[in-house]
Amino acid sequence: MTSTSHHRGARPPLTGTVGLRAARPADVPRIAELVSAYVVDRRLLAKDLVTLYEDVQEFVVAERTVRGADGGPGTVEVVGCGALHVMWADLAEVRTVAVDERLRGYGVGRALVAELLLHARRLGIARVFCLTFEREFFGSFGFREIESAPISADVYAELLRSHDEGVAEFLDLARVKPNTLGNHRMLVEL
């Protein structure tokens, strides 16, 4: 993405360039900030800092570089994040997609999800799940709403052993129902 990116609404042109890269442990405090902005209105679940550090290898970040006024070194900041969590041999979840409020509408979230789906394909994942309020956004990637976990009874029994809250949400367990109210369970086949 560059400063010539088109966007919706009457927003000013995007300054600088935005690129994607694998997250590093040093990014975790910024990822936590991005996520917390979505926790306030319940669009994302709060994540403990220790969980983000444990899962950092699942994350991709969007990084914006803005050159200095004199053309010299400028600033680099993480402006978005998203994760791909492998749940089973052929199943993963796109989760924790968050974009800095200042850059919403510039395609940062779209680039993050596209990269996560590409990563899933590289891993040989056939199906990707998400739990979201953003039905239209994820629908544009081919996600469709599902009613129940599309897995066999054997896989269901194995996934019950997971301590991951996202897996519990995928399984639609009673203990996580308050977390999922109003969300849409969606799946895309790659």
Side-chain angles (χ1 to χ4, degrees):
M1 283 176 269
T2 66
S3 57
T4 60
S5 295
H6 295 291
H7 48 79
R8 289 177 269 167
R11 301 193 79 163
L14 176 66
T15 57
T17 58
V18 176
L20 303 178
R21 64 170 173 78
R24 300 185 285 253
D27 298 319
V28 168
R30 179 62 177 143
I31 291 170
E33 282 179 41
L34 291 166
V35 170
S36 69
Y38 287 77
V39 170
V40 173
D41 59 3
R42 295 182 31 111
R43 288 182 288 164
L44 287 177
L45 293 177
K47 299 258 185 188
D48 292 326
L49 209 52
V50 67
T51 301
L52 292 172
Y53 277 110
E54 289 172 344
D55 297 341
V56 71
Q57 71 280 356
E58 296 181 352
F59 278 86
V60 170
V61 295
E63 187 175 69
R64 180 171 71 162
T65 304
V66 179
R67 295 282 172 229
D70 60 359
T75 59
V76 177
E77 66 177 329
V78 171
V79 295
C81 65
L84 181 74
H85 179 76
V86 175
M87 298 167 69
W88 200 250
D90 66 341
L91 181 67
E93 178 186 11
V94 166
R95 58 169 61 168
T96 321
V97 176
V99 175
D100 187 305
E101 177 66 40
R102 299 167 299 156
L103 272 78
R104 288 191 197 152
Y106 288 99
V108 175
R110 181 162 296 288
L112 285 163
V113 171
E115 180 65 22
L116 294 169
L117 292 175
L118 179 60
H119 186 54
R121 285 182 181 94
R122 284 187 206 123
L123 292 173
I125 301 295
R127 299 172 301 157
V128 178
F129 167 79
C130 71
L131 186 67
T132 184
F133 289 105
E134 304 295 334
R135 209 169 40 187
E136 186 177 317
F137 174 77
F138 280 96
S140 73
F141 289 95
F143 282 82
R144 60 178 171 64
E145 287 194 63
I146 59 172
E147 292 298 318
S148 61
I151 53 176
S152 69
D154 291 348
V155 172
Y156 185 93
E158 285 294 324
L159 289 177
L160 281 174
R161 297 169 179 249
S162 175
H163 298 288
D164 186 272
E165 286 299 298
V167 173
E169 291 167 351
F170 172 73
L171 297 176
D172 204 22
L173 301 180
R175 68 179 171 83
V176 294
K177 291 270 188 206
N179 297 341
T180 63
L181 291 175
N183 277 295
H184 300 273
R185 299 162 53 79
M186 301 183 79
L187 185 83
V188 65
E189 299 203 18
L190 303 178

